[in-house]
Amino acid sequence: MNWPGLIAKYKEYLPVTEDTPALTLQEGNTPLVHLSNLSKKLGIELYAKIEGANPTGSFKDRGMVMAVAKAVEAGSTSIICASTGNTSAAAAAYAAKAGIRAIIVIPNGKVALGKLAQAKMYGAEIVEIEGNFDEALKMVRSVSETSPVTLVNSVNPYRLEGQKTAAFEICDQLGSAPDILAIPVGNAGNISAYWKGFKEYNDVRLTGLPRMFGFEAEGAAAIVQDQVIDQPETVATAIRIGNPASWNLAVAARDESDGKISSISDPEILEAFKLLASTEGVFAEPASCASIAGVLKQVKNGSIPAGSKVVAILTGNGLKDPETAMSQMEIDPVVLPNDEQTVLEYIEGVVKA
Ligand code: F0G
């Protein structure tokens, strides 16, 4: 069957009316890959939900298709968001598809290259501020209160509605909810959306509920520290957020599910980033790898019991942030003269080693 996209597929679970436009870039239906090598190493059953396989390369497409469709339904011709990069890429793409304007406000110098290229290509109005995501979000929230623009950050409830569909897919792919759901936390919308999705599907289909394990970057761990971080800092720029908008919902997801929100250092994130690519052939952006780093850590400290079925959410594609990937390469490619014998000898050396 040709995948129809999220709104058509899950309309009975979504706030869809006869007037909601049939907007789609065929988002959703992302692979759930068994991480067989890491599973063996860790003594658990570990899967990755590859959200980087969405049309703009991140999970944001799930929420954005819904938010933009509802904005168009309400007669809006402009949307606005603050972003660390992925939200703005998704907003720009769905606005382009819907034929409306996207205005994005982003922290200058702190958005990964691929995401910036996307916003430009999709034709967004780009505003860079000399400030961070939290400051940008505060600005767009007040702009949207006084100007005729629709705010499409995850404080827009339609975003979480769309994003909850990933929990439905996991239950369908595994046959039931996993024991543990491991997920990066930035503005805390996604963990809240997943928890909502698992609960709603369980109400209708008895698919069970996972424990929700959220992971913040150590330099931006507001929920873990229970205080706003004024100057958040992390290599995982996507989750460089010090005052998460869905803070209370994330805490509720943690507590209702008997879960945990903890923090991961930048070296741990980067180690998981490289480990995932080199042992599983899965390239996810650094922020996504907070979920893998978190699983490694929680298995080690005994919080994830042996034999657990764990799903780690890989929120964005590794190609989004080529600069961080390149800066992590310890071995530079070998440059050889254009001479077959020299190349042959070099390769023979590699194969024999
Ligand atoms: N992973 C990636 C790749 C992200 O881009 C984000 C958030 C998160 C995880 C965290 O999700 O905010 O729902 O807790 N990116 C936002 C953006 C903030 O602007 O693209 P969250």
Side-chain angles (χ1 to χ4, degrees), residues 255-340:
D255 295 345
E256 288 170 31
S257 74
D258 186 28
K260 192 168 179 177
I261 296 180
S262 55
S263 65
I264 301 295
S265 70
D266 280 2
E268 288 167 332
I269 288 173
L270 292 172
E271 192 188 310
F273 177 56
K274 290 184 276 186
L275 184 72
L276 179 67
S278 62
T279 63
E280 295 287 355
V282 175
F283 187 23
E285 68 169 285
S288 301
C289 296
S291 65
I292 297 292
V295 169
L296 294 171
K297 203 164 170 174
Q298 302 299 324
V299 166
K300 211 178 244 173
N301 72 17
S303 297
I304 297 181
S308 298
K309 190 180 283 186
V310 182
V311 172
I313 309 304
L314 298 180
T315 45
N317 196 304
L319 295 170
K320 293 263 192 181
D321 189 356
E323 288 172 319
T324 302
M326 292 304 280
S327 73
Q328 288 305 304
M329 288 210 353
E330 282 128 23
I331 311 159
D332 283 329
V334 174
V335 180
L336 296 174
N338 183 15
D339 171 64
E340 189 168 325

Side-chain angles (χ1 to χ4, degrees), residues 91-114:
Y94 284 90
K97 181 74 172 174
I100 63 173
R101 180 183 297 123
I103 305 154
I104 67 171
V105 183
I106 56 178
N108 175 265
K110 293 290 181 181
V111 171
L113 189 64

Side-chain angles (χ1 to χ4, degrees), residues 138-184:
K138 205 167 147 214
M139 287 180 204
V140 297
R141 284 178 96 149
S142 66
V143 168
S144 70
E145 275 161 24
T146 51
S147 307
V149 288
T150 304
L151 183 64
V152 294
N153 280 106
S154 56
V155 290
N156 176 329
Y158 297 124
R159 282 279 311 280
L160 300 199
E161 288 297 317
Q163 283 172 215
K164 76 184 179 188
T165 59
F168 301 168
E169 289 179 17
I170 290 171
C171 292
D172 288 340
Q173 287 165 315
L174 287 177
S176 64
D179 300 321
I180 289 168
L181 195 283
I183 185 167

Side-chain angles (χ1 to χ4, degrees), residues 21-102:
L23 183 65
T24 190
L25 290 169
Q26 291 180 242
E27 59 293 316
N29 195 27
T30 56
L32 186 73
V33 174
H34 183 225
L35 302 182
S36 50
N37 298 320
L38 287 177
S39 290
K40 206 186 248 174
K41 181 179 150 122
L42 297 173
I44 60 173
E45 207 183 315
L46 180 61
Y47 295 85
K49 182 75 169 154
I50 314 286
E51 288 293 280
N54 275 298
T56 77
S58 88
F59 73 96
K60 303 289 181 179
D61 294 341
R62 295 181 184 274
M64 204 55 75
V65 68
M66 201 64 240
V68 172
K70 294 306 278 187
V72 170
E73 182 178 343
S76 180
T77 55
S78 295
I79 58 171
I80 191 167
C81 65
S83 184
T84 57
N86 281 324
T87 297
S88 53
Y94 284 90
K97 181 74 172 174
I100 63 173
R101 180 183 297 123

